[in-house]
């Protein structure tokens, strides 16, 4: 895992407090794990807000890994923002869970074109959160924008 | 603020790590504050997942304060669960923000009736998150259920 992505996560103290760990990040994809502790709620299952967070933060990480946002990059000066997000809880989350999302090559190209042409590239990410048995515990849908900062 | 509600929040370590503080809780209403630190993201504004959490957790607190879930209460054996939730981010959140929600007396009565009759009482909470200037930084819509545990 590139230090660059780990540094971005580490720069946000509350994600560190949740114990979120990047597992796989590359162009068009991002995967992260969330441990049970310290995210358990008073029923002994993982708290809704921590499940939301491990899925939501993938949007920022995927953006960094997919779009060239570096100072000398094609999209220099753009930042990823989340506009809205929804989560559906399917079953209680026990133990370590894994959140995964991806964006197709066609969508990546379209977002890049929109951003360069209009200063704003919007995209929707679906993320799935599964437990160690592969059961889906929650699904999310997030709307993000690359915006000129 | 009743120790009972503060204890419920304190039993969830990640809410403590966010610095969430209950401000006003009573039948049909719940209000909580979220400080900026340690919830700041890499842009220096409050992280999306912390905003989600301070609004989402109101559903549990409001349920405790509104429905008699005690061991000898009318709804003994019921617990509040969140089924789905959405959040819309309106503007960058700076400084302490406050999340507020409420449930009308009619809805409280309807949820209690449904729970007793069917073992499940579902309700929707709208929450608003405002900054110190009273500007709305985010709004949420959460679907909760009182379920027989």
């Amino acid at each position: 895992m590139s230090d660059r992505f780990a540094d971005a996560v580490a720069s946000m103290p509350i994600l560190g407090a949740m114990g979120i760990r990047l597992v796989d990040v590359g162009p068009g994809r991002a995967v992260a794990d969330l441990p049970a502790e310290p995210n358990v709620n008073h029923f002994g299952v993982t708290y809704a807000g921590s499940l939301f967070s491990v899925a939501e933060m993938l949007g920022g990480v995927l953006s960094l890994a997919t779009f060239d946002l570096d100072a000398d990059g094609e999209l220099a000066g753009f930042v990823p923002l989340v506009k809205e997000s929804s989560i559906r809880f399917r079953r209680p989350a026990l133990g370590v869970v894994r959140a995964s999302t991806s964006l197709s090559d066609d969508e990546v190209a379209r977002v890049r074109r929109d951003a360069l042409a209009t200063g704003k590239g919007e995209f929707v990410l679906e993320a799935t959160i599964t437990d160690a048995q592969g059961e889906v515990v929650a699904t999310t849908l997030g709307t993000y924008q690359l915006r000129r900062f």
Side-chain angles (χ1 to χ4, degrees), chain A:
Chain A
M1 188 55 49
S2 158
D3 284 346
R4 181 173 162 233
F5 307 122
D7 287 353
V9 175
S11 73
M12 296 173 58
I14 200 64
L15 297 184
M18 291 178 189
I20 289 176
R21 195 175 62 83
L22 296 174
V23 174
D24 179 39
V25 179
R29 67 182 199 281
V31 181
D33 278 358
L34 175 79
E37 293 285 349
N39 301 296
V40 289
N41 67 13
H42 51 302
F43 302 124
V45 301
T46 297
Y47 173 56
S50 299
L51 294 173
F52 176 91
S53 297
V54 70
E56 190 291 315
M57 57 84 69
L58 296 178
V61 172
L62 181 144
S63 295
L64 280 180
T66 304
F67 301 104
D68 191 355
L69 308 176
D70 291 336
D72 57 353
E74 185 187 20
L75 291 173
F78 281 81
V79 294
L81 300 176
V82 59
K83 299 306 291 178
E84 52 186 291
S85 196
S86 62
I87 182 165
R88 187 166 167 217
F89 302 97
R90 310 287 289 270
R91 62 178 69 213
L94 291 165
V96 177
V97 295
R98 175 163 294 185
S100 308
T101 195
S102 62
L103 195 64
S104 72
D105 291 348
D106 283 356
E107 268 295 272
V108 169
R110 199 252 329 142
V111 173
R112 181 182 288 121
R113 274 198 311 273
D114 286 356
L116 289 170
T118 70
K120 183 165 80 180
E122 184 166 298
F123 57 101
V124 173
L125 288 180
E126 287 184 54
T128 302
I129 307 176
T130 52
D131 64 16
Q133 285 72 47
E135 299 281 358
V136 175
V137 299
T139 53
T140 67
L141 207 60
T143 302
Y144 296 84
Q145 289 179 349
L146 290 185
R147 290 279 290 272
R148 223 186 281 277
F149 197 52

